[in-house]
Amino acid sequence: MSLLQGRTAIITGAAQGIGLSIAEAFTAAGANVVIADIDGARADTAATHLKGTGAGDSAGAACDVSSADDMNALVELAVSRFGGLDVFVNNAGITRDATMRKMSEEMFDQVISVHLRGAWLGTRAAANVMREQPGGGSIVNISSISGKVGLAGQTNYSAAKAGIVGLTKAAAKEVGFANVRVNAIQPGLIRTAMTEALPNDIYESRVKDIPLGRAGEPSEIAQVALFLASDMSSYMTGAVLEVTGGRHT
Ligand code: NAP
């Protein structure tokens, strides 16, 4: 299925985990993909690995999403290398979990900076290109169920992920006139390095809250990202899709 044939996509934080899985799904669907990550060498390695596996081309790029200069350079790279920008996925993320009593201001600021400022910078830079091209584009923001329900020990992360929902809805209203669509995904517990870092008892207690009885796989988020990136969702903007195996707590 060539849902993204000939289109160009950028995915941030894509050297591993959910971002890499989205990159794999997009290249398989025909897109040319820029894999951006704070670690440029790992982004290059991932892009090299992807070449030849899918129908689309791939390139790696170093980008700290909290830097406006890095973000603007990233978008310029995609446009100069592949001739446009049709899809942008704000996926990069970190966790700095602690109760409020133990969380430092630095831990709060780091998480807000990468997730919320990063997603805002990415949405702005991508929309600036997409609104000027025929056909517009699709921006997909990776929020989290933590931003809807709130999780103890994640006041920084829950706040940032809830902020991404507001950003998504406001941006959708600003750029819809140019057929630039902005949507968000709220994953639940997905098996990646981020969740493997959780203490075992916390991981197991979260699995108990999942009606489908298991953590999700990165590919199960990638399929939803592909839907939002493609024309399959052409009449959707400002929407937030929960992909949680039914978990609501
Ligand atoms: P991951 O495996 O840790 O991958 C995140 C990637 O982002 C890593 O390569 C990381 O690099 C990179 N990164 C960190 N800071 C960055 C920055 N400033 N600029 C660019 N790249 C940066 O995490 P994941 O589980 O795939 O998560 C991907 C997204 O899904 C995140 O937004 C996360 O919050 C969200 N999410 C995940 C889950 C889950 O259960 N896994 C659930 C809900 C939402 P380093 O490894 O060097 O830090």
Side-chain angles (χ1 to χ4, degrees):
M1 202 164 33
S2 299
L3 287 174
L4 299 180
Q5 192 63 47
R7 300 196 194 170
T8 298
I10 294 174
I11 303 137
T12 67
Q16 65 180 42
I18 292 171
L20 179 58
S21 196
I22 293 172
E24 288 167 351
F26 283 12
T27 49
N32 297 319
V33 167
V34 179
I35 292 185
D37 201 276
I38 196 157
D39 185 333
R42 286 176 59 229
D44 286 341
T45 303
T48 304
H49 157 75
L50 271 193
K51 271 185 204 294
T53 64
D57 199 358
S58 56
C63 173
D64 177 351
V65 295
S66 62
S67 156
D69 288 346
D70 278 15
M71 193 61 89
N72 294 334
L74 173 65
V75 168
E76 277 168 28
L77 171 87
V79 171
S80 64
R81 175 85 187 258
F82 295 122
L85 178 62
D86 306 292
V87 181
F88 192 102
V89 183
N90 284 299
N91 167 80
I94 58 170
T95 48
R96 297 288 183 271
D97 292 358
T99 59
M100 277 192 289
R101 283 208 304 182
K102 293 184 182 156
M103 188 181 291
S104 65
E105 289 168 34
E106 190 187 14
M107 290 162 80
F108 181 83
D109 289 344
Q110 281 174 341
V111 167
I112 297 292
S113 182
V114 172
H115 289 278
L116 189 51
R117 178 182 157 86
W120 182 78
L121 288 172
T123 301
R124 182 178 68 163
N128 281 347
V129 173
M130 292 172 178
R131 63 192 287 163
E132 300 300 333
Q133 66 190 14
S138 172
I139 297 169
V140 181
N141 292 329
I142 307 298
S143 171
S144 166
I145 197 66
S146 178
K148 181 181 180 187
V149 303
L151 292 178
Q154 291 198 321
T155 49
N156 50 1
Y157 184 82
S158 295
K161 291 305 201 184
I164 286 176
V165 171
L167 159 66
T168 299
K169 289 177 179 291
K173 286 184 175 167
E174 278 192 25
V175 294
F177 76 94
N179 200 37
V180 179
R181 301 183 297 109
V182 192
N183 294 290
I185 298 174
Q186 292 189 317
L189 185 69
I190 309 299
R191 269 192 338 125
T192 68
M194 186 178 274
T195 48
E196 273 160 20
L198 285 170
N200 212 30
D201 54 331
I202 294 183
Y203 187 91
E204 290 305 328
S205 76
R206 288 197 187 156
V207 170
K208 282 199 186 91
D209 289 333
I210 302 171
L212 288 184
R214 62 174 177 86
E217 297 298 325
S219 62
E220 293 176 298
I221 302 302
Q223 294 307 313
V224 179
L226 176 59
F227 166 71
L228 288 176
S230 77
D231 295 342
M232 296 268 284
S233 58
S234 55
Y235 199 53
M236 289 177 68
T237 196
V240 181
L241 302 186
E242 293 174 24
V243 188
T244 64
R247 174 177 153 219
H248 291 290
T249 54

